[in-house]
Amino acid sequence: MKLLKNYLKAVKWYLPRGQKDDIINELGENLLSRMEETEARLGRPLTELEQAAILREQGEPIMVAGRYGANHRCVTFGRQLIGPALYPIYIWILWLHWGVTFVIHAYMAIFKGSLGIGAFLVAAICQFVAVTFVFIILDVYHRKALQFWYLHLEHINPIPRWQSAFGLVLWSVYSGYWALIPYFPALIFGNTSGLKLAPVWHEFYWPILLLLLAGVAQRAVNLVYPGWNWLQPSVRLVVNIISLSMVYFLLNGYPYVLVDNAATAMSEAERLASILNGVIRATLLIGFSIYWSINICILVRLCIKHARYRWSRRREQAELSR
Amino acid sequence: MNAELFENLRLELRRGCLSVAVLSQLRVEHYGYTLRKALSDKGLEIDENTLYPLLRRLESQGLLVSEWREENKRNKRFYRISPVGEQILGQLLGAWQGINRALDQILEAKQ
């Protein structure tokens, strides 16, 4: 009854707080009774496709939850832009972005004396526009093609939302940090180290930023659509292949850190640069080897899982069409 | 347009009747699924997404009482009409019969 579990989980997401468990227990029990009665009538257990048909008949989780007084807020501008299904996640993501931005700006303002309220407002408005735009597009897809995603993926677990949320926060922070470096070089070495980044990083600034943003986008999409579990291995595969080729060029781009001519303590800066160059090179060699080994294992496992799922689905379809 | 209008009016007409039917049927204890079947057997099809929230609403209004109980090794929520519900149902049936009589007279007068 994994399908039923997935379905109830999806309904629960939208239910009013405080009533979730009670409603889900009752709804689950009634659906189970209905399935059992159909099984008794047919004289055999229901296939997953038949279970899915019953659940489809029950209705979209957002609609089912709506009957129990779930929140139906949405974003409209002339017409509905972000529907009630995505609205709670949209608001959550927006607050998350603003929260992280606020913390970074507050830190910069208090400890570095830069990035004032004006910079925060500009960043917040940009994030509002970007997040709203992404969710408007997601909503169009959601309405067109993504209904009942949880019924198509019975053999592969959806990606847990906490995992996507955690990754989203982490990658957003990395991306924000990386994006700010050209404007605030002090973010890396501080104001007094006498060091600067070597030109090799300038060539890789945009590719690295784009890879980081791809990671952010994948996690944001999986947060909204946990059932899109193919997205995670696909994005990882692309990101890892590109990053591997970048590592090769980066290794050839030694040194990575240079002494700034304006440095006051040249010998100290040179010593620091030498240590940092060694650490970065070692990280590129060892760190990426470990990272890649782990990722290859994860990717192979995910690919086998997906292949098995496709095969079992095809077999079930063939059996039913006989 | 006409079909949509008819559907809206039909749903409006049906809405009040559903509460009366549910209250009346719950003079005998049922859980959600068997209640739906009992109503359906008597010719009143009711969508699950309408029935289950309606049961909760009637319970929150004090017209029904419910109890979680084990049956066939599974926990089910059984509903039955409350004393207040019985009283209200009696009044509703009286009102419904009154409306029915009036409608009959109006329709007969037209014919």
Side-chain angles (χ1 to χ4, degrees):
Chain A
M1 290 294 165
K2 187 150 191 181
L3 275 187
L4 178 62
K5 217 170 142 190
N6 281 351
Y7 180 81
L8 293 173
K9 219 169 167 181
V11 176
K12 193 175 177 180
W13 170 259
Y14 299 108
L15 285 171
R17 239 176 251 171
Q19 296 181 51
K20 285 178 189 268
D21 289 332
D22 196 42
I23 293 173
I24 285 301
N25 288 341
E26 190 177 10
L27 186 64
E29 177 47 47
N30 289 327
L31 281 168
L32 208 56
S33 298
R34 190 172 157 190
M35 287 179 178
E36 281 175 356
E37 201 201 52
T38 316
E39 281 177 350
R41 205 175 58 237
L42 295 171
R44 60 168 172 82
L46 293 179
T47 65
E48 283 185 329
L49 287 179
E50 286 164 338
Q51 289 174 31
I54 289 178
L55 297 174
R56 274 201 188 90
E57 208 180 295
Q58 183 71 21
E60 263 287 317
I62 177 72
M63 193 205 80
V64 173
R67 297 291 186 110
Y68 290 94
N71 208 335
H72 257 172
R73 277 185 292 184
C74 54
V75 175
T76 49
F77 190 76
R79 66 185 191 86
Q80 184 177 293
L81 298 176
I82 301 171
L86 295 187
Y87 184 83
I89 304 170
Y90 160 69
I91 291 294
W92 193 84
I93 296 277
L94 198 58
W95 277 109
L96 185 76
H97 269 89
W98 284 343
V100 170
T101 311
F102 178 77
V103 170
I104 291 172
H105 279 72
Y107 174 82
M108 295 297 286
I110 296 165
F111 296 104
K112 305 277 179 185
S114 59
L115 291 179
I117 186 88
F120 171 70
L121 286 175
V122 170
I125 291 167
C126 290
Q127 283 169 336
F128 169 74
V129 172
V131 172
T132 306
F133 181 70
V134 168
F135 271 82
I136 289 171
I137 292 169
L138 282 178
D139 197 72
V140 172
Y141 272 100
H142 182 269
R143 268 181 273 156
K144 280 189 179 166
L146 292 170
Q147 292 181 330
F148 298 106
W149 53 264
Y150 39 83
L151 300 183
H152 300 301
L153 295 149
E154 48 270 53
H155 296 297
I156 306 172
N157 286 332
I159 296 167
R161 278 200 160 104
W162 67 263
Q163 199 185 88
S164 300
F166 180 72
L168 182 65
V169 174
L170 212 64
W171 283 68
S172 297
V173 172
Y174 285 156
S175 308
Y177 177 74
W178 186 257
L180 288 172
I181 286 172
Y183 309 103
F184 306 100
L187 277 172
I188 293 196
F189 303 119
N191 288 322
T192 54
S193 64
L195 299 176
K196 62 178 182 183
L197 288 175
V200 65
W201 291 108
H202 300 171
E203 293 165 30
F204 286 98
Y205 174 74
W206 281 106
I208 291 175
L209 184 61
L210 287 175
L211 289 182
L212 288 169
L213 290 175
V216 171
Q218 177 254 307
R219 283 156 179 90
V221 172
N222 278 143
L223 185 67
V224 181
Y225 304 118
W228 282 20
N229 40 23
W230 50 267
L231 190 67
Q232 191 186 49
S234 314
V235 172
R236 275 192 187 188
L237 189 67
V238 174
V239 167
N240 287 338
I241 287 170
I242 297 173
S243 61
L244 191 68
S245 56
M246 276 165 46
V247 168
Y248 170 77
F249 290 110
L250 272 171
L251 282 171
N252 290 333
Y254 189 88
Y256 313 107
V257 176
L258 300 174
V259 175
D260 196 339
N261 291 333
T264 44
M266 285 298 270
S267 59
E268 178 60 19
E270 275 167 8
R271 197 179 66 85
L272 206 60
S274 153
I275 292 170
L276 278 173
N277 280 320
V279 168
I280 294 172
R281 193 166 211 180
T283 308
L284 286 172
L285 280 169
I286 303 163
F288 262 86
S289 310
I290 296 168
Y291 175 75
W292 251 92
S293 312
I294 294 169
N295 259 294
I296 283 172
C297 294
I298 294 171
L299 279 169
V300 168
R301 197 175 138 261
L302 285 170
C303 288
I304 291 172
K305 221 172 166 185
H306 276 262
R308 271 189 190 158
Y309 164 69
R310 301 279 165 219
W311 184 74
S312 65
R313 167 58 65 233
R314 214 170 291 155
R315 199 180 51 177
E316 193 179 27
Q317 295 268 22
E319 274 171 17
L320 279 171
S321 60
R322 251 179 237 157
Chain B
M1 179 63 190
N2 272 351
E4 195 185 325
L5 191 63
F6 166 73
E7 189 55 22
N8 286 341
L9 289 169
R10 190 186 69 82
L11 288 175
E12 216 171 287
L13 190 66
R14 196 178 130 91
R15 203 165 294 143
C17 299
L18 287 181
S19 302
V20 176
V22 166
L23 285 172
S24 182
Q25 191 64 45
L26 284 175
R27 282 169 166 156
V28 178
E29 193 179 61
H30 280 287
Y31 69 94
Y33 182 70
T34 53
L35 172 64
R36 184 171 171 255
K37 272 195 69 187
L39 290 168
S40 167
D41 290 345
K42 286 173 184 161
L44 186 71
E45 290 292 343
I46 178 165
D47 177 46
E48 283 159 320
N49 293 324
T50 305
L51 178 62
Y52 304 147
L54 174 66
L55 287 172
R56 300 182 77 84
R57 187 164 57 80
L58 293 174
E59 191 192 13
S60 71
Q61 290 167 340
L63 305 177
L64 297 178
V65 284
S66 75
E67 181 192 10
W68 281 98
R69 216 171 51 233
E70 201 179 283
E71 191 194 78
N72 297 334
K73 292 182 182 171
R74 286 220 310 265
N75 265 332
K76 292 171 182 175
R77 188 181 201 152
F78 288 88
Y79 291 90
R80 66 189 154 76
I81 194 164
S82 69
V84 181
E86 283 278 11
Q87 201 185 328
I88 298 276
L89 177 63
Q91 290 169 351
L92 282 173
L93 287 174
W96 177 68
Q97 278 156 3
I99 293 169
N100 233 5
R101 269 196 304 274
L103 261 178
D104 279 346
Q105 281 177 23
I106 292 166
L107 293 172
E108 271 169 28
K110 252 197 145 181
Q111 283 162 6

